[in-house]
Amino acid sequence: MQIIKINPYNLIELKKFTAQIAAEIKIGKTLVYPTDTLYGLGGDGTNQKTIGKIFKIKKRNLKKALPLLVKNIEMAKKLAFIDKKTEKILNAAWPGPITFVLWKRKIVPLSLTGGAETVALRYNNHWFLNELFHHLDFPLIATSANISGKENIYKIGDLIQTFKTTKIKPDLLIDAGDINPNTPASTIIDLTKQKPLILRVGAVKPKELLQILEV
């Protein structure tokens, strides 16, 4: 497991590192990376081998779907069926800490969705991911960087120690420092139902959600 320390204030270094990291992801490497809510564990969301390795690293039940991060709404349209009404909702909510469950297209592997015909997508607003996606034209797996059933990890030292002791390790770990443990998780909304269904209330509160869903 290679540890790469990233400084968000050194733009030249950030551009250099994200280009190198993207090249590794393109050949199937897995990584732990920072987001606006917590550290994520991921890789190429269209690569079957990468998907399988993520399940093994996390010790996750194969029937539990893995969510995806997208570069923008155009990428989301390639992965899921999005009508005009749904697109208005996405435009009102993204980028931000809301994950939407949508009907998937064939390009999304069933191994990623646990056999379901739906996929969970999120468009994140984070300095590292914004720069990384300049170099990627596919979605990034975005499950939390912890072992299934264990608590979320916010301190980088604890994160490094956790994966140093696992039998199967991520290939890369991006050290962007600790994340505030009081940062709420993303809100999850299922748009495949007759009416939008809030599966988890997180960073975006119910009043804001109602405004988004009423667009």
Side-chain angles (χ1 to χ4, degrees):
M1 180 176 71
Q2 180 184 0
I3 299 172
I4 301 174
K5 191 171 182 63
I6 295 280
N7 179 359
Y9 302 106
N10 187 332
L11 192 58
I12 295 174
E13 181 184 82
L14 178 62
K15 289 180 179 294
K16 175 186 172 183
F17 278 139
T18 50
Q20 293 173 349
I21 292 163
E24 295 291 300
I25 296 170
K26 288 175 183 177
I27 60 172
K29 297 292 182 70
T30 57
L31 77 159
V32 173
Y33 59 92
T35 77
D36 58 353
T37 53
L38 41 71
Y39 273 90
L41 170 64
D44 181 352
T46 63
N47 185 314
Q48 295 277 12
K49 288 186 178 179
T50 301
I51 293 167
K53 187 173 181 181
I54 294 293
F55 275 104
K56 290 177 181 177
I57 294 170
K58 193 174 170 71
K59 300 179 182 178
R60 187 176 178 88
N61 186 321
L62 294 174
K63 292 182 180 180
K64 290 187 174 182
L66 295 171
L68 294 175
L69 285 176
V70 296
K71 184 177 188 173
N72 49 35
I73 291 180
E74 291 308 308
M75 180 181 283
K77 287 180 179 180
K78 295 177 182 178
L79 302 169
F81 293 97
I82 297 172
D83 58 22
K84 289 184 179 180
K85 182 180 178 181
T86 300
E87 186 172 357
K88 284 184 178 180
I89 292 172
L90 300 185
N91 275 314
W94 283 352
I98 302 183
T99 299
F100 290 101
V101 177
L102 304 162
W103 293 112
K104 80 175 193 69
R105 294 185 183 272
K106 287 185 179 180
I107 190 175
V108 179
L110 286 169
S111 59
L112 181 116
T113 65
E117 291 296 331
T118 57
V119 63
L121 302 180
R122 184 176 166 206
Y123 176 12
N124 200 315
N125 186 21
H126 186 271
W127 55 268
F128 173 75
L129 290 165
N130 291 341
E131 193 59 46
L132 182 65
F133 267 123
H134 284 312
H135 310 285
L136 300 177
D137 58 1
F138 51 77
L140 198 63
I141 297 168
T143 187
S144 57
N146 61 338
I147 305 304
S148 288
K150 303 293 184 181
E151 292 184 0
N152 290 331
I153 304 171
Y154 297 93
K155 291 186 177 180
I156 190 65
D158 293 341
L159 200 61
I160 292 170
Q161 188 58 37
T162 293
F163 289 109
K164 274 187 175 180
T165 59
T166 57
K167 185 177 180 180
I168 302 174
K169 308 178 192 315
D171 299 295
L172 307 170
L173 190 150
I174 313 307
D175 176 359
D178 296 345
I179 288 179
N180 185 342
N182 296 318
T183 304
S186 66
T187 297
I188 304 176
I189 301 175
D190 188 344
L191 294 182
T192 68
K193 309 299 181 186
Q194 194 169 15
K195 291 184 178 180
L197 178 64
I198 299 173
L199 301 179
R200 181 176 74 193
V201 177
V204 181
K205 301 308 177 188
K207 186 177 180 180
E208 296 172 83
L209 288 177
L210 287 174
Q211 293 175 338
I212 290 169
L213 295 173
E214 287 175 355
V215 296

